[in-house]
Amino acid sequence: MRKKLLAANWKMYKTPDDCRAFVRDFLPLIANPGRDEIVLCPPYVDLHATLEAVKGSGLCVGAQNLHWEKEGAFTGEVSRVMLVALGVTHVIIGHSERRQYFAETDDTVNRKLESALEAGLAPIVCVGEVLEEREAGLTDDVLRRQCTRAFSGISAKKAEKLVVAYEPVWAIGTGKTATPQIAASAHLVIREEAVEAFGAEFADKLRILYGGSVKPDNVKSLMAEPEIDGGLVGGASLDPKSWSAIVNY
Ligand code: PGA
Protein backbone atom coordinates (compact mmCIF):
# COMPACT_ATOMS: atom_id res chain seq x y z
CA MET A 1 0.00 0.00 0.00
CA ARG A 2 1.29 3.44 -0.92
CA LYS A 3 0.77 6.08 1.77
CA LYS A 4 -1.44 8.83 0.39
CA LEU A 5 -0.09 12.36 0.10
CA LEU A 6 -2.34 15.41 0.12
CA ALA A 7 -0.65 18.67 -0.79
CA ALA A 8 -2.10 22.17 -0.60
CA ASN A 9 -0.80 24.46 -3.33
CA TRP A 10 -1.49 27.98 -2.11
CA LYS A 11 -0.08 29.58 -5.27
CA MET A 12 0.24 33.38 -4.84
CA TYR A 13 -2.13 33.62 -1.88
CA LYS A 14 -1.67 34.37 1.83
CA THR A 15 0.68 36.48 3.96
CA PRO A 16 2.71 35.02 6.87
CA ASP A 17 -0.08 36.00 9.27
CA ASP A 18 -2.68 34.32 7.05
CA CYS A 19 -0.60 31.12 7.10
CA ARG A 20 -0.29 31.13 10.90
CA ALA A 21 -4.03 31.65 11.27
CA PHE A 22 -4.73 28.89 8.75
CA VAL A 23 -2.58 26.34 10.62
CA ARG A 24 -4.13 27.30 13.97
CA ASP A 25 -7.64 26.76 12.58
CA PHE A 26 -6.80 23.70 10.49
CA LEU A 27 -4.91 21.51 12.99
CA PRO A 28 -7.86 20.74 15.30
CA LEU A 29 -9.97 19.74 12.29
CA ILE A 30 -7.78 16.80 11.17
CA ALA A 31 -9.72 13.61 11.92
CA ASN A 32 -6.91 11.04 11.49
CA PRO A 33 -3.55 12.70 12.13
CA GLY A 34 -0.72 10.62 10.69
CA ARG A 35 -2.93 8.55 8.35
CA ASP A 36 -1.70 10.39 5.24
CA GLU A 37 1.19 12.71 4.46
CA ILE A 38 -0.16 16.27 4.52
CA VAL A 39 1.91 19.03 2.94
CA LEU A 40 1.30 22.78 2.87
CA CYS A 41 2.97 24.69 0.02
CA PRO A 42 2.80 28.44 0.64
CA PRO A 43 4.68 31.17 -1.27
CA TYR A 44 8.41 31.43 -0.45
CA VAL A 45 7.99 34.39 1.90
CA ASP A 46 5.54 32.40 4.04
CA LEU A 47 7.66 29.26 4.41
CA HIS A 48 9.28 30.32 7.66
CA ALA A 49 6.00 31.30 9.35
CA THR A 50 4.31 28.11 8.16
CA LEU A 51 7.19 25.91 9.35
CA GLU A 52 7.05 27.53 12.78
CA ALA A 53 3.28 27.11 12.91
CA VAL A 54 3.27 23.38 12.03
CA LYS A 55 6.08 22.42 14.44
CA GLY A 56 5.26 19.20 16.28
CA SER A 57 2.06 18.59 14.28
CA GLY A 58 3.43 16.08 11.77
CA LEU A 59 2.45 18.35 8.88
CA CYS A 60 5.07 18.98 6.20
CA VAL A 61 5.88 22.19 4.36
CA GLY A 62 6.81 22.41 0.69
CA ALA A 63 7.90 25.14 -1.70
CA GLN A 64 6.21 25.81 -5.04
CA ASN A 65 9.40 26.02 -7.10
CA LEU A 66 13.20 26.08 -6.88
CA HIS A 67 16.16 27.01 -9.05
CA TRP A 68 18.36 24.17 -10.27
CA GLU A 69 21.65 25.75 -9.18
CA LYS A 70 22.88 25.69 -5.60
CA GLU A 71 23.67 29.41 -5.63
CA GLY A 72 24.71 32.12 -8.07
CA ALA A 73 23.82 35.34 -9.81
CA PHE A 74 20.15 34.49 -10.45
CA THR A 75 18.15 37.50 -9.27
CA GLY A 76 14.82 36.57 -7.78
CA GLU A 77 15.51 32.83 -7.53
CA VAL A 78 15.67 30.44 -4.57
CA SER A 79 17.82 27.31 -4.34
CA ARG A 80 17.53 23.87 -2.77
CA VAL A 81 20.15 24.82 -0.18
CA MET A 82 17.99 27.68 1.08
CA LEU A 83 14.87 25.53 1.21
CA VAL A 84 16.60 22.74 3.12
CA ALA A 85 18.15 25.23 5.55
CA LEU A 86 14.64 26.48 6.40
CA GLY A 87 13.34 22.97 7.05
CA VAL A 88 11.31 22.58 3.88
CA THR A 89 10.89 18.91 2.87
CA HIS A 90 8.87 18.99 -0.38
CA VAL A 91 8.88 21.05 -3.55
CA ILE A 92 6.42 21.34 -6.45
CA ILE A 93 8.17 21.26 -9.82
CA GLY A 94 6.82 22.07 -13.28
CA HIS A 95 3.33 23.17 -12.30
CA SER A 96 1.34 24.00 -15.44
CA GLU A 97 1.11 27.66 -14.42
CA ARG A 98 4.91 27.80 -14.38
CA ARG A 99 5.04 26.06 -17.75
CA GLN A 100 2.37 28.41 -19.16
CA TYR A 101 3.41 31.80 -17.71
CA PHE A 102 7.06 31.44 -16.72
CA ALA A 103 8.60 29.53 -19.60
CA GLU A 104 9.16 26.35 -17.64
CA THR A 105 10.11 23.54 -20.05
CA ASP A 106 10.58 19.79 -19.82
CA ASP A 107 14.30 20.52 -19.68
CA THR A 108 14.10 22.94 -16.74
CA VAL A 109 11.79 20.49 -14.98
CA ASN A 110 14.47 17.83 -15.38
CA ARG A 111 17.20 20.11 -14.01
CA LYS A 112 15.02 21.18 -11.08
CA LEU A 113 14.10 17.58 -10.34
CA GLU A 114 17.75 16.59 -10.24
CA SER A 115 18.51 19.53 -7.96
CA ALA A 116 15.68 18.74 -5.54
CA LEU A 117 16.68 15.07 -5.30
CA GLU A 118 20.30 16.04 -4.77
CA ALA A 119 19.23 17.97 -1.66
CA GLY A 120 16.98 15.22 -0.32
CA LEU A 121 13.78 17.16 -0.99
CA ALA A 122 10.66 15.23 -2.05
CA PRO A 123 9.80 16.65 -5.48
CA ILE A 124 6.20 16.73 -6.69
CA VAL A 125 6.61 16.81 -10.46
CA CYS A 126 3.51 18.02 -12.31
CA VAL A 127 2.53 16.69 -15.71
CA GLY A 128 -0.69 16.98 -17.68
CA GLU A 129 -2.25 17.78 -21.03
CA VAL A 130 -4.10 20.90 -22.14
CA LEU A 131 -7.65 20.65 -23.50
CA GLU A 132 -6.63 20.78 -27.19
CA GLU A 133 -4.21 17.90 -26.63
CA ARG A 134 -6.90 15.80 -24.93
CA GLU A 135 -9.38 16.54 -27.70
CA ALA A 136 -6.81 15.62 -30.33
CA GLY A 137 -6.21 12.26 -28.60
CA LEU A 138 -2.68 13.26 -27.61
CA THR A 139 -2.95 12.87 -23.83
CA ASP A 140 -0.82 9.72 -23.57
CA ASP A 141 1.85 11.12 -25.89
CA VAL A 142 2.08 14.34 -23.88
CA LEU A 143 2.36 12.48 -20.59
CA ARG A 144 5.00 10.13 -22.01
CA ARG A 145 7.04 13.04 -23.35
CA GLN A 146 6.82 15.05 -20.11
CA CYS A 147 7.77 12.05 -17.98
CA THR A 148 10.60 10.79 -20.21
CA ARG A 149 12.22 14.20 -20.28
CA ALA A 150 11.65 14.92 -16.59
CA PHE A 151 13.16 11.57 -15.55
CA SER A 152 16.05 11.69 -18.02
CA GLY A 153 19.47 10.86 -16.57
CA ILE A 154 18.12 10.20 -13.07
CA SER A 155 18.72 6.85 -11.38
CA ALA A 156 16.13 4.92 -9.39
CA LYS A 157 18.34 5.18 -6.34
CA LYS A 158 18.47 8.95 -6.59
CA ALA A 159 14.76 9.26 -7.41
CA GLU A 160 13.61 7.53 -4.23
CA LYS A 161 11.53 10.47 -2.94
CA LEU A 162 9.95 11.30 -6.29
CA VAL A 163 6.21 11.99 -6.38
CA VAL A 164 4.35 12.76 -9.63
CA ALA A 165 1.14 14.78 -9.87
CA TYR A 166 -1.16 14.25 -12.85
CA GLU A 167 -2.81 17.62 -13.38
CA PRO A 168 -4.86 17.88 -16.56
CA VAL A 169 -4.60 21.59 -17.34
CA TRP A 170 -8.27 21.78 -18.37
CA ALA A 171 -9.25 20.77 -14.82
CA ILE A 172 -7.12 23.30 -12.92
CA GLY A 173 -9.14 26.09 -11.37
CA THR A 174 -12.02 25.40 -13.76
CA GLY A 175 -14.33 23.35 -11.55
CA LYS A 176 -14.05 20.52 -14.12
CA THR A 177 -12.60 17.42 -12.49
CA ALA A 178 -11.26 14.39 -14.28
CA THR A 179 -13.34 11.35 -13.40
CA PRO A 180 -11.50 8.77 -11.30
CA GLN A 181 -11.40 6.61 -14.46
CA ILE A 182 -9.81 9.36 -16.60
CA ALA A 183 -7.25 10.00 -13.86
CA ALA A 184 -6.55 6.29 -13.38
CA SER A 185 -5.84 5.74 -17.07
CA ALA A 186 -3.44 8.72 -17.12
CA HIS A 187 -1.77 7.43 -13.95
CA LEU A 188 -1.18 4.07 -15.65
CA VAL A 189 0.64 5.81 -18.49
CA ILE A 190 2.79 7.69 -15.98
CA ARG A 191 3.49 4.48 -14.09
CA GLU A 192 4.57 2.79 -17.34
CA GLU A 193 7.00 5.64 -17.93
CA ALA A 194 8.32 5.16 -14.40
CA VAL A 195 8.86 1.45 -15.16
CA GLU A 196 10.85 2.49 -18.25
CA ALA A 197 12.96 5.00 -16.36
CA PHE A 198 13.40 3.38 -12.96
CA GLY A 199 12.21 -0.24 -13.13
CA ALA A 200 9.09 -2.09 -12.03
CA GLU A 201 9.82 -2.21 -8.32
CA PHE A 202 10.30 1.55 -8.15
CA ALA A 203 7.22 2.25 -10.26
CA ASP A 204 5.11 0.08 -7.99
CA LYS A 205 6.02 2.27 -5.02
CA LEU A 206 5.78 5.61 -6.87
CA ARG A 207 3.01 7.85 -5.61
CA ILE A 208 0.99 9.54 -8.33
CA LEU A 209 -1.31 12.32 -7.16
CA TYR A 210 -4.28 13.74 -8.99
CA GLY A 211 -4.75 17.52 -9.20
CA GLY A 212 -7.40 19.70 -10.82
CA SER A 213 -10.52 20.98 -9.04
CA VAL A 214 -10.31 18.49 -6.17
CA LYS A 215 -13.11 19.57 -3.79
CA PRO A 216 -14.69 18.24 -0.60
CA ASP A 217 -17.53 16.73 -2.65
CA ASN A 218 -15.41 14.79 -5.17
CA VAL A 219 -12.37 13.84 -3.07
CA LYS A 220 -13.85 10.61 -1.72
CA SER A 221 -14.46 9.02 -5.10
CA LEU A 222 -11.04 10.13 -6.35
CA MET A 223 -9.24 8.72 -3.30
CA ALA A 224 -11.17 5.44 -3.58
CA GLU A 225 -9.49 4.79 -6.94
CA PRO A 226 -6.45 2.55 -6.21
CA GLU A 227 -4.32 4.27 -8.89
CA ILE A 228 -4.75 7.68 -7.18
CA ASP A 229 -2.24 8.07 -4.36
CA GLY A 230 -3.33 11.48 -3.16
CA GLY A 231 -4.08 14.96 -4.40
CA LEU A 232 -2.53 18.32 -5.21
CA VAL A 233 -5.16 20.91 -4.37
CA GLY A 234 -5.28 24.61 -5.19
CA GLY A 235 -8.46 26.61 -4.63
CA ALA A 236 -10.11 24.25 -2.14
CA SER A 237 -7.00 24.19 0.06
CA LEU A 238 -7.09 27.90 0.86
CA ASP A 239 -9.76 27.63 3.52
CA PRO A 240 -9.14 25.48 6.64
CA LYS A 241 -12.68 24.04 6.63
CA SER A 242 -12.63 23.03 3.01
CA TRP A 243 -9.04 21.69 3.23
CA SER A 244 -9.90 19.69 6.34
CA ALA A 245 -12.97 18.25 4.58
CA ILE A 246 -10.57 17.12 1.85
CA VAL A 247 -7.94 15.57 4.12
CA ASN A 248 -10.70 13.86 6.12
CA TYR A 249 -12.19 12.31 2.91
P1 PGA B 1 -7.19 23.67 -8.31
O1 PGA B 1 -5.61 23.75 -8.57
O2 PGA B 1 -7.39 22.67 -7.20
O3 PGA B 1 -7.58 25.05 -7.92
O4 PGA B 1 -7.82 23.22 -9.59
C1 PGA B 1 -4.83 22.59 -8.55
C2 PGA B 1 -3.39 22.96 -8.83
O5 PGA B 1 -3.14 23.91 -9.58
O6 PGA B 1 -2.45 22.32 -8.30
Side-chain angles (χ1 to χ4, degrees):
M1 268 299 274
R2 298 179 288 258
K3 184 170 183 165
K4 287 205 190 324
L5 188 162
L6 291 149
N9 174 10
W10 287 346
K11 309 193 177 183
M12 200 172 73
Y13 291 97
K14 297 192 190 295
T15 64
D17 277 346
D18 295 337
C19 295
R20 285 187 203 100
F22 179 102
V23 172
R24 184 196 61 217
D25 295 345
F26 169 65
L27 287 179
L29 303 176
I30 307 174
N32 303 295
R35 180 186 62 177
D36 303 322
E37 197 170 321
I38 301 175
V39 188
L40 305 177
C41 303
Y44 284 139
V45 294
D46 299 329
L47 287 168
H48 181 71
T50 309
L51 280 156
E52 289 287 310
V54 303
K55 245 181 207 159
S57 69
L59 259 58
C60 301
V61 176
Q64 298 174 14
N65 186 25
L66 85 169
H67 193 271
W68 55 82
E69 291 293 345
K70 201 167 98 197
E71 60 183 10
F74 300 103
T75 303
E77 294 292 319
V78 169
S79 81
R80 61 182 183 264
V81 177
M82 298 160 192
L83 297 177
V84 170
L86 273 182
V88 167
T89 49
H90 295 66
V91 60
I92 300 170
I93 296 175
H95 189 279
S96 65
E97 285 149 18
R98 297 219 50 91
R99 293 178 191 254
Q100 194 179 346
Y101 306 127
F102 303 101
E104 193 90 70
T105 64
D106 292 331
D107 178 52
T108 58
V109 169
N110 174 246
R111 293 165 84 171
K112 289 177 176 193
L113 173 58
E114 209 169 348
S115 173
L117 292 168
E118 177 73 39
L121 292 162
I124 303 174
V125 173
C126 302
V127 296
E129 79 287 1
V130 300
L131 185 62
E132 296 74 44
E133 291 164 337
R134 169 156 291 271
E135 286 174 348
L138 295 172
T139 299
D140 291 6
D141 294 347
V142 170
L143 295 175
R144 287 191 197 287
R145 187 203 75 222
Q146 290 176 334
C147 289
T148 317
R149 297 209 187 146
F151 303 160
S152 166
I154 294 170
S155 69
K157 187 162 176 276
K158 202 167 174 199
E160 200 193 328
K161 290 189 177 169
L162 173 67
V163 176
V164 177
Y166 169 57
E167 297 213 310
V169 181
W170 48 269
I172 296 178
T174 57
K176 285 185 204 145
T177 319
T179 61
Q181 294 69 35
I182 290 179
S185 85
H187 286 208
L188 282 172
V189 173
I190 295 166
R191 212 172 288 287
E192 277 170 24
E193 287 306 307
V195 173
E196 269 302 292
F198 307 118
E201 199 185 324
F202 180 99
D204 197 43
K205 291 191 197 133
L206 174 70
R207 289 181 294 178
I208 306 177
L209 318 181
Y210 168 76
S213 297
V214 175
K215 307 284 178 207
D217 62 4
N218 60 28
V219 64
K220 206 178 161 82
S221 61
L222 288 163
M223 293 309 131
E225 164 55 52
E227 255 304 320
I228 300 180
D229 304 311
L232 180 56
V233 185
S237 73
L238 289 168
D239 170 73
K241 282 210 184 78
S242 139
W243 179 230
S244 64
I246 289 175
V247 307
N248 295 337
Y249 61 89

